[in-house]
């Protein structure tokens, strides 16, 4: 019975997230209320709040799931014996793809300032903590390359993971500045920085 209850809870969490992201993309993050999410999910507001106390926590969950799915997809698709820069650029491309599948460029333009500069300090702090898990995922790819002898044993891969992620975020904010995405320019800029970082650590 407890297994059934847990499954029902997970299904309800997933339904709330699905409904919320649809509403966020349709009417904007600011234009969506918890009451709207509850009504669309056929739940009461107190029930939604049991799972997510605010729409900000739903937003963070959506981003967490996108990052989680990206790392899982990358682990199964990326050939770790490919050219060094190709490995890490493909990882970045999968992360960006998942991010854009979850939220539209317009929604990202709306929420990125909140995630980074919100006066509610708890939101940027929660985003940073969550983003730290993504950096750890990038670090694992670099660690695997290091284990394979493709990066120097003394290379500071933890700092490299932070830099790769930080630069990707900067380029992502530029990418979503318009609804028409200039993916070629984005990939070229990311590749330049990735090359600079990786070949400073290569054997």
């Amino acid at each position: 019975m407890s297994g059934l209850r847990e499954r029902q809870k997970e299904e309800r969490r997933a339904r709330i997230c699905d409904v919320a992201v649809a509403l966020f993309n349709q009417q904007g993050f600011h234009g969506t209320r918890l009451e709207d999410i509850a009504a669309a999910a056929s739940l009461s507001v107190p029930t939604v709040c049991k799972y997510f106390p605010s729409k900000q926590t739903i937003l963070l969950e959506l981003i967490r799931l996108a990052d989680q799915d990206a790392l899982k997809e990358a682990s199964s698709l990326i050939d770790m014996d490919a050219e060094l820069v190709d490995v890490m650029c493909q990882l970045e491309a999968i992360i960006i793809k998942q991010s854009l599948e979850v939220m539209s460029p317009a929604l990202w333009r709306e929420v990125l300032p909140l995630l980074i500069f919100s006066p509610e300090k708890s939101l940027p702090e929660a985003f940073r903590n969550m983003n730290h898990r993504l950096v750890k995922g990038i670090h694992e790819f670099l660690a695997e390359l290091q284990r394979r002898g493709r990066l120097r044993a003394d290379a500071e891969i933890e700092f490299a993971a932070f830099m790769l992620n930080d630069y990707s975020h900067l380029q992502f904010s530029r990418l979503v500045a318009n609804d028409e995405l200039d993916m070629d320019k984005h990939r070229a800029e990311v590749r330049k920085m990735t090359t600079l970082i990786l070949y400073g650590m290569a054997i």
Side-chain angles (χ1 to χ4, degrees), residues 114-132:
L114 291 175
L115 293 168
I116 300 169
F117 303 117
S118 173
E120 299 175 30
K121 294 195 185 303
S122 60
L123 185 57
E125 184 178 351
F127 178 64
R128 280 194 300 273
N129 291 339
M130 186 183 64
N131 190 58
H132 181 64

Side-chain angles (χ1 to χ4, degrees), residues 8-22:
Q8 288 172 336
K9 285 181 181 178
E10 285 306 309
E11 288 171 356
R12 191 169 284 174
R13 282 179 67 87
R15 185 159 90 249
I16 292 168
C17 286
D18 289 345
V19 162
V21 74

Side-chain angles (χ1 to χ4, degrees), residues 28-42:
F29 182 75
H30 289 298
T32 302
R33 305 169 304 154
L34 272 178
E35 289 84 355
D36 302 326
I37 296 168
S42 302

Side-chain angles (χ1 to χ4, degrees), residues 27-54:
Q27 55 198 45
F29 182 75
H30 289 298
T32 302
R33 305 169 304 154
L34 272 178
E35 289 84 355
D36 302 326
I37 296 168
S42 302
L43 299 169
S44 67
V45 172
T47 298
V48 171
C49 288
K50 282 182 186 176
Y51 295 88
F52 301 102
S54 67

